[in-house]
Amino acid sequence: MSLSARNRLSGTVQRVETSGLMAEVVVELDGGQTVTAIITSGSADRLGLEAGSEVDAVVKATEVMIDAH
Amino acid sequence: MSLSARNRLSGTVQRVETSGLMAEVVVELDGGQTVTAIITSGSADRLGLEAGSEVDAVVKATEVMIDAH
Amino acid sequence: MSLSARNRLSGTVQRVETSGLMAEVVVELDGGQTVTAIITSGSADRLGLEAGSEVDAVVKATEVMIDAH
Amino acid sequence: MSLSARNRLSGTVQRVETSGLMAEVVVELDGGQTVTAIITSGSADRLGLEAGSEVDAVVKATEVMIDAH
Amino acid sequence: MSLSARNRLSGTVQRVETSGLMAEVVVELDGGQTVTAIITSGSADRLGLEAGSEVDAVVKATEVMIDAH
Amino acid sequence: MSLSARNRLSGTVQRVETSGLMAEVVVELDGGQTVTAIITSGSADRLGLEAGSEVDAVVKATEVMIDAH
């Protein structure tokens, strides 16, 4: 993993919905929780994302908040 | 959950390291994967974060990327 | 407020426009200035946002820039 | 305003704290609410930010969340 | 340049595509590389962006990742 | 390139400065312009970044603003 982003959560794509320029990708993490990503339709097409694709959800650490409820 | 952010991953704080204005918080998700957050030291103090705290890691969907490896 | 995000600006929704996957929410802050948010349509629906809703606009401190004009 | 960022909130710097590479800038908005920005120390120096500086807090719309409490 | 954002890359708009609330703007940098921005349609209209417009692509330093391949 | 992030600008590291949890990495793009990234010190160490390293600066399209000056 040569990318500086600290967070890389492995999972499986459950659903990809594309509308205009944007795509919503829902990933079920290996541990059972779910992550939703909004990416460009162009990237979703280029990566060939579809239900069942094995992917990582990648997030820069500065983008993560903590809720201590 | 009244916040628009789509991603809320539950877990337990493993480690909090504070240095100057920033704090690095490592959260072990319930499914076993790990998330690192960079927040302000002010927020880490206000929330009383420490190893063992039960928290959610919260991420806006537009901040998530997909790696199709 | 259990969320680490440092910025929470109270106001009233003026307008919600939804198109495809995304929604644009315009909030008039209590002090009279205006904030525009782009969130997912899914979140706008889930939160039941409409003109007149009392809300907070929430922003992580690392996402704020300063213009010294 | 030639920048695409939708949010530009005018106010006055209350406090600037610099530590290492990062600086925390607290801005009191004209309407009385407060915004905190984390920027680089390099930018804080270049802009000559100090208590009393009149500034805008600038935020891209995709970075704003809504809390419907 | 009165804005704290550290990155300002000059170039020429190659293409603007608008769909619903969002617009995709492709900028050819002066050095020949290409940057794609997703902004709101509202901002694209307000700025009058079209192929040939001379612009800067602006990015806050905390949003940049490094890939060491 | 299996990552959804649309922007990948190739260049050479000019300077890495680490202070506490954060690191500032200055990259000279192949076309001569400069990009500054704030990443964690942990990532800078893991990637072995130093002056002369050939890298890509990676940015998600939703993080890019346009200034039409």
Side-chain angles (χ1 to χ4, degrees), chain E:
Chain E
M1 298 183 305
S2 61
L3 187 71
S4 62
R6 290 286 288 272
N7 297 302
R8 183 172 283 272
L9 300 169
S10 62
T12 304
V13 173
Q14 282 188 322
R15 185 168 56 80
V16 180
E17 182 180 350
T18 299
S19 173
L21 293 166
M22 309 307 287
E24 186 173 289
V25 183
V26 180
V27 178
E28 182 174 1
L29 302 184
D30 292 347
Q33 300 195 69
T34 293
V35 168
T36 299
I38 295 286
I39 63 175
T40 59
S41 301
S43 287
D45 287 348
R46 176 171 58 83
L47 299 181
L49 298 178
E50 58 184 6
S53 301
E54 296 192 0
V55 300
D56 290 336
V58 177
V59 184
K60 197 172 193 290
T62 46
E63 305 296 347
V64 182
M65 294 164 284
I66 300 291
D67 189 332
H69 43 237

Side-chain angles (χ1 to χ4, degrees), chain B:
Chain B
M1 296 183 304
S2 61
L3 187 71
S4 62
R6 290 286 287 274
N7 297 301
R8 183 172 283 273
L9 300 169
S10 62
T12 305
V13 173
Q14 282 189 324
R15 183 169 58 79
V16 180
E17 182 179 354
T18 299
S19 174
L21 294 167
M22 309 307 288
E24 186 173 289
V25 183
V26 180
V27 178
E28 182 174 359
L29 301 183
D30 292 346
Q33 301 196 69
T34 293
V35 168
T36 299
I38 295 286
I39 64 175
T40 59
S41 301
S43 287
D45 288 350
R46 176 171 58 83
L47 299 181
L49 298 178
E50 59 184 6
S53 301
E54 295 191 2
V55 300
D56 291 335
V58 177
V59 184
K60 197 173 194 292
T62 45
E63 305 297 346
V64 182
M65 295 164 282
I66 300 292
D67 189 333
H69 42 236

